Coordinates of all heavy atoms in Angstrom, one line a residue:
M19 N 28.4 -55.6 42.1 CA 29.4 -54.6 42.0 C 30.1 -54.6 40.7 O 30.4 -53.5 40.2 CB 30.4 -55.0 43.1 CG 30.4 -54.2 44.4 SD 29.9 -52.6 44.3 CE 30.6 -51.9 45.7
P20 N 30.4 -55.7 40.0 CA 31.1 -55.7 38.7 C 30.2 -54.9 37.7 O 30.8 -54.3 36.8 CB 31.3 -57.1 38.3 CG 31.1 -57.9 39.6 CD 30.3 -57.1 40.5
E21 N 28.9 -54.9 37.8 CA 28.1 -54.2 36.8 C 28.3 -52.7 36.9 O 28.3 -52.0 35.9 CB 26.6 -54.6 37.0 CG 26.3 -56.1 36.8 CD 24.9 -56.5 37.2 OE1 24.2 -55.6 37.7 OE2 24.6 -57.6 37.0
Q22 N 28.4 -52.2 38.1 CA 28.6 -50.8 38.3 C 30.0 -50.3 37.8 O 30.1 -49.3 37.2 CB 28.5 -50.4 39.8 CG 27.1 -50.6 40.4 CD 27.0 -50.3 41.8 OE1 28.0 -50.1 42.5 NE2 25.8 -50.2 42.4
Q23 N 31.0 -51.1 38.0 CA 32.3 -50.7 37.4 C 32.3 -50.7 35.9 O 32.9 -49.9 35.3 CB 33.4 -51.7 38.0 CG 33.6 -51.6 39.5 CD 34.6 -52.6 40.0 OE1 35.0 -53.5 39.3 NE2 35.0 -52.5 41.2
A24 N 31.6 -51.6 35.3 CA 31.5 -51.7 33.8 C 30.8 -50.4 33.3 O 31.2 -49.8 32.3 CB 30.8 -52.9 33.4
T25 N 29.8 -50.0 34.0 CA 29.1 -48.8 33.6 C 30.0 -47.5 33.7 O 30.0 -46.7 32.8 CB 27.8 -48.6 34.5 OG1 27.1 -49.8 34.4 CG2 27.0 -47.4 33.9
V26 N 30.7 -47.4 34.8 CA 31.6 -46.3 34.9 C 32.7 -46.3 33.9 O 33.0 -45.3 33.3 CB 32.3 -46.3 36.4 CG1 33.4 -45.3 36.5 CG2 31.2 -46.1 37.4
A27 N 33.2 -47.4 33.5 CA 34.3 -47.5 32.5 C 33.8 -47.1 31.1 O 34.4 -46.5 30.3 CB 34.9 -48.9 32.5
Q28 N 32.5 -47.5 30.8 CA 32.0 -47.1 29.5 C 31.7 -45.6 29.4 O 31.9 -45.1 28.4 CB 30.6 -47.9 29.3 CG 30.9 -49.4 29.1 CD 29.5 -50.1 29.0 OE1 28.5 -49.6 29.2 NE2 29.6 -51.4 28.6
T29 N 31.3 -45.0 30.4 CA 31.0 -43.6 30.3 C 32.3 -42.8 30.3 O 32.3 -41.7 29.7 CB 30.1 -43.1 31.5 OG1 30.8 -43.4 32.7 CG2 28.8 -43.7 31.5
A30 N 33.4 -43.3 30.8 CA 34.6 -42.6 30.8 C 35.2 -42.5 29.4 O 36.1 -41.7 29.1 CB 35.6 -43.2 31.8
T31 N 34.9 -43.5 28.5 CA 35.5 -43.5 27.2 C 34.8 -42.6 26.2 O 35.3 -42.5 25.0 CB 35.5 -45.0 26.7 OG1 34.2 -45.5 26.6 CG2 36.4 -45.9 27.6
V32 N 33.7 -42.0 26.5 CA 33.0 -41.2 25.6 C 33.8 -39.9 25.4 O 34.1 -39.2 26.4 CB 31.6 -40.9 26.1 CG1 30.9 -39.9 25.2 CG2 30.8 -42.2 26.2
P33 N 34.2 -39.5 24.2 CA 34.9 -38.3 24.0 C 34.1 -37.0 24.3 O 32.9 -37.0 24.0 CB 35.4 -38.3 22.6 CG 34.4 -39.2 21.9 CD 33.9 -40.2 22.9
Q34 N 34.8 -36.0 24.8 CA 34.1 -34.8 25.1 C 34.0 -34.0 23.8 O 35.1 -33.7 23.1 CB 34.8 -34.0 26.1 CG 34.1 -32.7 26.5 CD 34.9 -31.9 27.5 OE1 36.0 -32.3 27.9 NE2 34.4 -30.8 27.9
V35 N 32.8 -33.6 23.4 CA 32.7 -32.8 22.1 C 32.7 -31.3 22.5 O 31.8 -30.8 23.2 CB 31.4 -33.2 21.4 CG1 31.2 -32.3 20.1 CG2 31.4 -34.7 21.0
V36 N 33.7 -30.6 22.0 CA 33.7 -29.1 22.2 C 33.7 -28.5 20.8 O 34.5 -28.8 19.9 CB 35.0 -28.7 22.9 CG1 35.1 -27.2 23.0 CG2 35.1 -29.4 24.2
H37 N 32.7 -27.7 20.6 CA 32.6 -27.0 19.3 C 33.6 -26.0 19.1 O 34.1 -25.4 20.1 CB 31.2 -26.4 19.1 CG 30.1 -27.4 19.1 ND1 29.8 -28.1 17.9 CD2 29.2 -27.8 20.0 CE1 28.8 -29.0 18.2 NE2 28.4 -28.8 19.4
I38 N 34.0 -25.6 17.9 CA 35.1 -24.8 17.6 C 34.9 -23.4 18.2 O 35.8 -22.7 18.7 CB 35.4 -24.7 16.1 CG1 36.8 -24.1 15.9 CG2 34.4 -24.0 15.4 CD1 37.3 -24.3 14.5
H39 N 33.6 -22.9 18.2 CA 33.4 -21.6 18.7 C 33.4 -21.5 20.2 O 33.3 -20.5 20.8 CB 32.1 -21.0 18.1 CG 30.9 -21.8 18.5 ND1 30.5 -22.9 17.9 CD2 30.0 -21.6 19.6 CE1 29.4 -23.4 18.4 NE2 29.1 -22.7 19.5
E40 N 33.4 -22.7 20.9 CA 33.5 -22.8 22.3 C 34.9 -23.0 22.8 O 35.1 -23.0 24.0 CB 32.5 -23.9 22.8 CG 31.1 -23.6 22.5 CD 30.2 -24.9 22.9 OE1 30.8 -25.9 23.2 OE2 29.0 -24.7 22.9
A41 N 35.8 -23.3 22.0 CA 37.2 -23.6 22.4 C 37.9 -22.3 22.8 O 37.5 -21.2 22.3 CB 37.9 -24.2 21.2
P42 N 38.8 -22.4 23.7 CA 39.6 -21.2 24.0 C 40.4 -20.7 22.8 O 40.7 -21.4 21.9 CB 40.6 -21.8 25.1 CG 40.1 -23.1 25.5 CD 39.2 -23.6 24.4
P43 N 40.6 -19.4 22.8 CA 41.2 -18.8 21.6 C 42.6 -19.4 21.2 O 42.9 -19.5 20.0 CB 41.5 -17.3 22.0 CG 40.6 -17.1 23.2 CD 40.4 -18.4 23.8
D44 N 43.4 -19.9 22.1 CA 44.7 -20.4 21.8 C 44.6 -21.8 21.2 O 45.5 -22.3 20.5 CB 45.6 -20.5 23.0 CG 45.0 -21.3 24.1 OD1 43.8 -21.4 24.2 OD2 45.8 -21.9 24.9
R45 N 43.4 -22.5 21.3 CA 43.3 -23.8 20.8 C 42.4 -23.8 19.5 O 42.4 -24.8 18.8 CB 42.6 -24.7 21.8 CG 43.4 -24.8 23.0 CD 43.2 -25.9 23.9 NE 43.1 -27.1 23.2 CZ 43.7 -28.2 23.6 NH1 44.4 -28.2 24.7 NH2 43.5 -29.4 22.9
T46 N 41.8 -22.6 19.2 CA 41.0 -22.6 18.0 C 41.9 -22.8 16.7 O 41.5 -23.5 15.8 CB 40.3 -21.2 17.9 OG1 39.5 -21.1 19.1 CG2 39.4 -21.1 16.7
L47 N 43.0 -22.2 16.7 CA 43.9 -22.3 15.5 C 44.3 -23.8 15.4 O 44.3 -24.3 14.3 CB 45.2 -21.5 15.7 CG 46.2 -21.6 14.6 CD1 45.7 -21.1 13.3 CD2 47.5 -20.9 15.1
Q48 N 44.6 -24.5 16.5 CA 45.0 -25.9 16.4 C 43.8 -26.7 15.9 O 44.0 -27.6 15.1 CB 45.4 -26.4 17.8 CG 46.6 -25.7 18.4 CD 46.8 -26.1 19.8 OE1 46.1 -26.9 20.3 NE2 47.8 -25.5 20.4
R49 N 42.6 -26.4 16.3 CA 41.5 -27.2 15.9 C 41.2 -27.1 14.4 O 40.9 -28.0 13.7 CB 40.3 -26.9 16.7 CG 40.4 -27.3 18.2 CD 39.2 -26.8 18.9 NE 39.3 -27.1 20.4 CZ 39.0 -28.2 21.0 NH1 38.4 -29.2 20.3 NH2 39.2 -28.4 22.2
V50 N 41.3 -25.8 14.0 CA 41.1 -25.6 12.5 C 42.2 -26.3 11.7 O 41.9 -26.9 10.7 CB 41.1 -24.1 12.2 CG1 41.1 -23.8 10.7 CG2 39.8 -23.4 12.9
A51 N 43.4 -26.1 12.1 CA 44.5 -26.7 11.3 C 44.4 -28.2 11.3 O 44.6 -28.9 10.3 CB 45.8 -26.2 11.9
L52 N 44.2 -28.8 12.5 CA 44.1 -30.3 12.5 C 42.9 -30.8 11.8 O 42.9 -31.8 11.1 CB 44.1 -30.8 14.0 CG 45.4 -30.6 14.7 CD1 45.2 -31.0 16.2 CD2 46.5 -31.4 14.1
G53 N 41.8 -30.0 11.8 CA 40.6 -30.4 11.0 C 40.8 -30.3 9.5 O 40.2 -31.0 8.8
A54 N 41.7 -29.4 9.1 CA 42.0 -29.3 7.7 C 43.1 -30.3 7.2 O 43.4 -30.3 6.0 CB 42.6 -27.8 7.4
G55 N 43.5 -31.1 8.1 CA 44.5 -32.2 7.7 C 45.9 -31.8 7.8 O 46.8 -32.5 7.4
M56 N 46.2 -30.7 8.5 CA 47.6 -30.4 8.7 C 48.2 -31.2 9.8 O 47.5 -31.7 10.7 CB 47.8 -28.9 9.1 CG 47.4 -27.9 8.0 SD 47.4 -26.2 8.6 CE 49.1 -26.0 8.9
G57 N 49.5 -31.4 9.8 CA 50.1 -32.2 10.8 C 50.4 -31.5 12.1 O 50.2 -30.2 12.1
A58 N 50.7 -32.2 13.1 CA 50.9 -31.5 14.4 C 52.1 -30.6 14.4 O 52.1 -29.6 15.1 CB 51.1 -32.6 15.5
G59 N 53.1 -30.9 13.6 CA 54.3 -30.1 13.5 C 53.9 -28.7 12.9 O 54.4 -27.7 13.4
A60 N 53.1 -28.7 11.9 CA 52.7 -27.4 11.3 C 51.9 -26.6 12.3 O 52.0 -25.4 12.4 CB 51.9 -27.7 10.0
V61 N 51.0 -27.3 13.1 CA 50.2 -26.6 14.1 C 51.1 -26.0 15.1 O 50.9 -24.9 15.5 CB 49.2 -27.6 14.7 CG1 48.4 -26.9 15.8 CG2 48.2 -28.0 13.6
A62 N 52.1 -26.8 15.6 CA 53.0 -26.3 16.6 C 53.8 -25.1 16.1 O 54.0 -24.1 16.8 CB 53.9 -27.4 17.1
A63 N 54.2 -25.1 14.9 CA 54.9 -24.0 14.3 C 54.1 -22.8 14.2 O 54.5 -21.7 14.4 CB 55.5 -24.4 12.9
A64 N 52.8 -23.0 13.8 CA 51.9 -21.8 13.7 C 51.6 -21.2 15.0 O 51.6 -20.0 15.2 CB 50.6 -22.2 13.0
V65 N 51.5 -22.0 16.0 CA 51.2 -21.5 17.4 C 52.4 -20.8 17.9 O 52.3 -19.8 18.6 CB 50.8 -22.7 18.3 CG1 50.7 -22.2 19.8 CG2 49.4 -23.2 17.9
Y66 N 53.6 -21.3 17.6 CA 54.8 -20.7 18.1 C 55.2 -19.4 17.3 O 55.5 -18.4 17.9 CB 56.0 -21.7 18.1 CG 57.3 -21.1 18.5 CD1 57.5 -20.9 19.9 CD2 58.3 -20.8 17.6 CE1 58.8 -20.4 20.3 CE2 59.5 -20.3 18.1 CZ 59.7 -20.1 19.4 OH 60.9 -19.5 19.8
F67 N 55.2 -19.5 16.0 CA 55.7 -18.4 15.2 C 54.7 -17.4 14.9 O 55.1 -16.3 14.5 CB 56.3 -19.0 13.8 CG 57.5 -19.7 14.0 CD1 57.6 -21.1 13.7 CD2 58.7 -19.1 14.4 CE1 58.8 -21.7 13.8 CE2 59.9 -19.7 14.5 CZ 60.0 -21.1 14.3
G68 N 53.4 -17.6 15.1 CA 52.4 -16.6 14.9 C 52.6 -15.4 15.8 O 52.8 -14.3 15.3
P69 N 52.7 -15.5 17.1 CA 52.9 -14.4 18.0 C 54.3 -13.8 17.8 O 54.5 -12.6 17.9 CB 52.8 -14.9 19.4 CG 51.9 -16.2 19.2 CD 52.3 -16.7 17.9
L70 N 55.3 -14.6 17.4 CA 56.6 -14.1 17.2 C 56.6 -13.2 16.0 O 57.3 -12.2 16.0 CB 57.5 -15.3 17.0 CG 59.0 -15.1 17.0 CD1 59.4 -14.6 18.4 CD2 59.8 -16.3 16.6
L71 N 55.9 -13.6 14.9 CA 55.8 -12.8 13.7 C 55.1 -11.4 14.0 O 55.5 -10.4 13.6 CB 55.1 -13.5 12.6 CG 54.9 -12.8 11.3 CD1 56.2 -12.5 10.7 CD2 54.0 -13.6 10.4
V72 N 54.1 -11.5 14.8 CA 53.4 -10.2 15.2 C 54.3 -9.3 16.0 O 54.3 -8.1 15.7 CB 52.1 -10.6 16.0 CG1 51.5 -9.3 16.6 CG2 51.1 -11.3 15.1
A73 N 55.0 -9.9 16.9 CA 56.0 -9.0 17.7 C 57.1 -8.4 16.8 O 57.4 -7.3 16.9 CB 56.6 -9.9 18.8
A74 N 57.6 -9.2 15.8 CA 58.6 -8.7 14.9 C 58.0 -7.6 14.1 O 58.7 -6.5 13.9 CB 59.1 -9.8 14.1
M75 N 56.8 -7.7 13.6 CA 56.2 -6.7 12.7 C 56.0 -5.4 13.5 O 56.1 -4.3 13.0 CB 55.0 -7.2 12.1 CG 55.2 -8.3 11.0 SD 53.8 -9.0 10.4 CE 53.0 -7.6 9.6
A76 N 55.5 -5.6 14.8 CA 55.3 -4.4 15.6 C 56.6 -3.7 15.9 O 56.7 -2.4 15.9 CB 54.7 -4.8 17.0
S77 N 57.7 -4.4 16.1 CA 59.0 -3.8 16.3 C 59.5 -3.1 15.1 O 60.0 -1.9 15.2 CB 60.0 -4.9 16.7 OG 61.3 -4.4 16.8
I78 N 59.3 -3.6 13.9 CA 59.7 -3.0 12.7 C 58.8 -1.7 12.5 O 59.4 -0.6 12.1 CB 59.5 -3.9 11.5 CG1 60.5 -5.0 11.6 CG2 59.6 -3.2 10.2 CD1 60.2 -6.2 10.6
A79 N 57.5 -1.7 12.8 CA 56.7 -0.6 12.7 C 57.1 0.6 13.6 O 57.1 1.7 13.2 CB 55.2 -0.9 12.9
A80 N 57.5 0.2 14.8 CA 58.0 1.2 15.8 C 59.3 1.8 15.3 O 59.4 3.1 15.4 CB 58.2 0.6 17.2
S81 N 60.2 1.0 14.8 CA 61.4 1.6 14.2 C 61.2 2.5 13.1 O 61.8 3.6 13.0 CB 62.3 0.4 13.8 OG 62.7 -0.4 14.9
L82 N 60.3 2.2 12.2 CA 59.9 3.0 11.1 C 59.3 4.3 11.5 O 59.5 5.4 10.9 CB 59.0 2.3 10.1 CG 59.7 1.2 9.2 CD1 58.7 0.5 8.4 CD2 60.9 1.7 8.4
A83 N 58.5 4.3 12.6 CA 57.9 5.5 13.1 C 58.9 6.4 13.7 O 58.9 7.6 13.4 CB 56.8 5.1 14.2
V84 N 59.9 5.9 14.4 CA 60.9 6.7 14.9 C 61.8 7.3 13.8 O 62.1 8.5 13.8 CB 61.8 5.9 15.9 CG1 63.1 6.6 16.2 CG2 61.0 5.5 17.1
L85 N 62.1 6.5 12.8 CA 62.8 7.0 11.6 C 62.0 8.1 10.9 O 62.7 9.1 10.5 CB 63.1 5.9 10.7 CG 63.9 6.2 9.4 CD1 65.3 6.6 9.8 CD2 63.9 5.0 8.5
A86 N 60.7 8.0 10.8 CA 59.9 9.0 10.1 C 60.0 10.3 10.9 O 60.1 11.4 10.3 CB 58.5 8.5 9.9
V87 N 59.9 10.2 12.2 CA 60.0 11.4 13.0 C 61.4 12.1 12.9 O 61.5 13.3 12.8 CB 59.7 11.1 14.5 CG1 60.0 12.3 15.4 CG2 58.2 10.7 14.7
M88 N 62.4 11.3 12.9 CA 63.8 11.8 12.7 C 63.9 12.5 11.4 O 64.5 13.6 11.3 CB 64.8 10.7 12.9 CG 64.9 10.3 14.3 SD 66.1 8.9 14.5 CE 67.5 9.5 13.8
V89 N 63.4 12.0 10.3 CA 63.5 12.6 9.0 C 62.7 13.9 9.0 O 63.2 14.9 8.4 CB 63.0 11.6 7.9 CG1 62.7 12.3 6.6 CG2 63.9 10.4 7.8
A90 N 61.5 13.9 9.6 CA 60.7 15.1 9.6 C 61.5 16.2 10.4 O 61.5 17.4 9.9 CB 59.4 14.9 10.2
V91 N 62.1 15.9 11.5 CA 62.8 16.9 12.3 C 64.0 17.4 11.5 O 64.3 18.6 11.5 CB 63.2 16.3 13.7 CG1 64.2 17.2 14.4 CG2 62.0 16.1 14.5
C92 N 64.8 16.5 10.9 CA 65.9 16.9 10.1 C 65.5 17.8 8.9 O 66.2 18.8 8.6 CB 66.7 15.7 9.6 SG 67.6 14.8 10.9
A93 N 64.4 17.5 8.2 CA 64.0 18.3 7.1 C 63.6 19.7 7.6 O 63.9 20.7 7.0 CB 62.8 17.6 6.4
W94 N 62.9 19.7 8.7 CA 62.5 21.0 9.3 C 63.7 21.9 9.6 O 63.8 23.1 9.4 CB 61.6 20.8 10.5 CG 61.3 22.1 11.3 CD1 60.4 23.0 11.0 CD2 62.0 22.5 12.4 NE1 60.5 24.0 11.9 CE2 61.5 23.7 12.8 CE3 63.0 21.9 13.2 CZ2 61.9 24.4 13.9 CZ3 63.4 22.6 14.3 CH2 62.9 23.9 14.7
A95 N 64.7 21.2 10.3 CA 65.9 21.9 10.7 C 66.7 22.4 9.4 O 67.1 23.6 9.4 CB 66.8 21.0 11.5
I96 N 66.8 21.6 8.4 CA 67.5 22.1 7.2 C 66.8 23.2 6.5 O 67.4 24.2 6.2 CB 67.7 20.9 6.2 CG1 68.7 19.9 6.8 CG2 68.1 21.3 4.9 CD1 68.7 18.6 6.1
V97 N 65.5 23.1 6.4 CA 64.7 24.2 5.8 C 64.9 25.5 6.6 O 65.1 26.6 6.1 CB 63.3 23.8 5.6 CG1 62.4 25.0 5.3 CG2 63.1 22.8 4.5
S98 N 64.8 25.4 7.9 CA 64.9 26.6 8.8 C 66.3 27.2 8.7 O 66.5 28.4 8.6 CB 64.6 26.2 10.2 OG 63.3 25.8 10.4
V99 N 67.4 26.4 8.7 CA 68.7 26.9 8.6 C 69.0 27.5 7.3 O 69.6 28.6 7.2 CB 69.7 25.8 9.0 CG1 71.2 26.2 8.6 CG2 69.7 25.4 10.4
V100 N 68.6 26.9 6.2 CA 68.8 27.4 4.9 C 68.0 28.7 4.7 O 68.6 29.7 4.1 CB 68.4 26.4 3.8 CG1 68.3 27.1 2.4 CG2 69.3 25.2 3.8
G101 N 66.8 28.8 5.3 CA 66.1 30.0 5.2 C 66.7 31.2 6.0 O 66.7 32.3 5.6
A102 N 67.3 30.8 7.1 CA 67.8 31.9 8.0 C 69.2 32.3 7.5 O 69.6 33.5 7.6 CB 68.0 31.4 9.4
V103 N 70.0 31.4 7.0 CA 71.4 31.7 6.6 C 71.5 32.1 5.1 O 72.3 32.9 4.8 CB 72.3 30.5 6.8 CG1 73.7 30.7 6.3 CG2 72.3 30.1 8.3
G104 N 70.5 31.7 4.3 CA 70.6 31.9 2.9 C 70.5 33.4 2.5 O 70.1 34.2 3.3
S105 N 70.7 33.7 1.3 CA 70.6 35.0 0.8 C 69.1 35.4 0.7 O 68.2 34.6 0.8 CB 71.3 35.2 -0.6 OG 70.6 34.4 -1.5
N106 N 68.9 36.7 0.3 CA 67.5 37.1 0.1 C 66.8 36.4 -1.0 O 65.6 36.1 -1.0 CB 67.5 38.6 -0.1 CG 67.8 39.4 1.2 OD1 67.6 38.9 2.2 ND2 68.3 40.6 1.0
R107 N 67.6 36.1 -2.0 CA 67.0 35.3 -3.2 C 66.6 34.0 -2.7 O 65.5 33.5 -3.1 CB 68.1 35.2 -4.3 CG 67.5 34.9 -5.6 CD 68.6 34.9 -6.7 NE 68.9 33.5 -7.0 CZ 70.0 33.1 -7.6 NH1 70.9 34.0 -7.9 NH2 70.2 31.9 -7.8
T108 N 67.3 33.3 -1.9 CA 67.0 32.0 -1.4 C 65.7 32.1 -0.6 O 64.8 31.2 -0.6 CB 68.1 31.4 -0.6 OG1 69.3 31.4 -1.4 CG2 67.8 29.9 -0.3
A109 N 65.7 33.0 0.3 CA 64.6 33.2 1.2 C 63.3 33.5 0.4 O 62.2 33.0 0.7 CB 64.8 34.3 2.2
R110 N 63.4 34.4 -0.6 CA 62.2 34.7 -1.4 C 61.7 33.4 -2.1 O 60.5 33.2 -2.2 CB 62.6 35.7 -2.5 CG 62.5 37.1 -1.9 CD 62.5 38.1 -3.1 NE 63.6 37.9 -4.0 CZ 64.8 38.6 -4.1 NH1 64.9 39.7 -3.3 NH2 65.7 38.3 -4.9
A111 N 62.6 32.6 -2.6 CA 62.2 31.4 -3.3 C 61.5 30.4 -2.3 O 60.5 29.8 -2.7 CB 63.4 30.7 -4.0
A112 N 62.0 30.3 -1.1 CA 61.5 29.4 -0.1 C 60.1 29.9 0.3 O 59.2 29.1 0.5 CB 62.4 29.3 1.1
R113 N 59.9 31.3 0.4 CA 58.6 31.8 0.7 C 57.6 31.6 -0.4 O 56.4 31.3 -0.1 CB 58.7 33.3 1.0 CG 59.3 33.6 2.4 CD 59.1 35.1 2.8 NE 60.1 35.4 3.7 CZ 61.3 36.1 3.5 NH1 61.5 36.5 2.3 NH2 62.1 36.3 4.4
R114 N 58.0 31.7 -1.6 CA 57.1 31.5 -2.7 C 56.6 30.0 -2.7 O 55.5 29.8 -3.1 CB 57.8 31.8 -4.1 CG 57.5 33.1 -4.6 CD 58.0 33.3 -6.0 NE 59.2 34.1 -5.8 CZ 60.4 33.8 -6.4 NH1 60.5 32.7 -7.1 NH2 61.5 34.5 -6.2
R115 N 57.5 29.1 -2.4 CA 57.1 27.7 -2.4 C 56.4 27.3 -1.1 O 55.9 26.2 -0.9 CB 58.3 26.8 -2.6 CG 58.8 26.9 -4.0 CD 59.9 25.9 -4.2 NE 60.3 25.9 -5.6 CZ 61.3 26.6 -6.1 NH1 61.9 27.5 -5.3 NH2 61.6 26.5 -7.3
G116 N 56.2 28.2 -0.1 CA 55.6 27.9 1.1 C 56.4 27.2 2.1 O 55.9 26.6 3.1
L117 N 57.7 27.1 1.9 CA 58.6 26.4 2.8 C 59.1 27.2 4.0 O 59.5 26.7 5.0 CB 59.8 25.9 2.1 CG 59.5 24.9 0.9 CD1 60.8 24.5 0.2 CD2 58.9 23.6 1.5
L118 N 58.9 28.6 3.9 CA 59.5 29.4 4.9 C 58.4 30.5 5.2 O 57.9 31.1 4.2 CB 60.8 30.0 4.4 CG 61.6 30.8 5.5 CD1 62.1 29.9 6.6 CD2 62.8 31.5 4.8
R119 N 58.3 30.9 6.4 CA 57.3 31.9 6.8 C 58.0 33.3 6.7 O 59.3 33.3 6.9 CB 56.8 31.7 8.2 CG 56.0 30.5 8.3 CD 55.4 30.4 9.7 NE 54.8 29.1 9.9 CZ 54.6 28.6 11.1 NH1 54.9 29.2 12.2 NH2 54.1 27.4 11.2
R120 N 57.3 34.3 6.6 CA 57.9 35.6 6.6 C 58.2 36.0 8.1 O 57.6 35.6 9.0 CB 56.9 36.7 6.1 CG 56.6 36.5 4.7 CD 55.5 37.6 4.2 NE 55.1 37.2 2.9 CZ 55.4 37.9 1.8 NH1 56.2 38.9 1.9 NH2 55.0 37.5 0.7
R121 N 59.3 36.7 8.2 CA 59.8 37.1 9.5 C 58.9 38.3 10.0 O 58.6 39.2 9.2 CB 61.2 37.5 9.5 CG 62.1 36.4 9.3 CD 63.5 36.8 9.4 NE 64.4 35.8 8.8 CZ 65.7 35.9 8.6 NH1 66.3 37.1 8.8 NH2 66.4 34.9 8.2
T122 N 58.6 38.3 11.2 CA 57.7 39.4 11.7 C 58.5 40.3 12.6 O 59.6 40.0 13.2 CB 56.5 38.9 12.5 OG1 57.0 38.1 13.5 CG2 55.6 38.2 11.6

């Protein structure tokens, strides 16, 4: 019986080898960083702040997109009001530059 227990204990100490391309996606970054000699703190920071940075950049992009739409609407409104309210000279100048359509 003692011989069988020794055999079981020896096989349990063999480390499991998982290649980097077989690792789950969330652990791949950790494996690359630890293999490059980075400390565990840097790996933890990268795992934590990576998705946080992506979320912050997406939020900024969404805000800029909304701002761009607002600027376009305001510019269209200003051009339309100036063309409708302005004098004939102003309307002719706007039509020449292609900013205002002719009234039908």
Side-chain angles (χ1 to χ4, degrees):
M19 260 330 203
E21 294 171 1
Q22 290 178 351
Q23 291 176 352
T25 307
V26 172
Q28 287 176 353
T29 57
T31 59
V32 176
Q34 181 183 5
V35 177
V36 177
H37 294 284
I38 193 166
H39 63 277
E40 295 172 350
D44 59 333
R45 301 199 49 135
T46 303
L47 176 66
Q48 295 172 5
R49 290 175 188 272
V50 169
L52 290 173
M56 292 175 65
V61 173
V65 169
Y66 178 75
F67 288 115
L70 194 66
L71 180 63
V72 169
M75 290 174 64
S77 175
I78 291 170
S81 298
L82 288 176
V84 168
L85 181 65
V87 169
M88 288 176 54
V89 166
V91 167
C92 288
W94 170 79
I96 290 171
V97 167
S98 296
V99 168
V100 166
V103 174
S105 65
N106 286 337
R107 195 174 106 200
T108 307
R110 278 193 309 252
R113 280 191 206 102
R114 261 188 262 129
R115 289 189 174 88
L117 299 175
L118 189 66
R119 295 182 192 161
R120 294 180 190 254
R121 292 185 193 170
T122 55

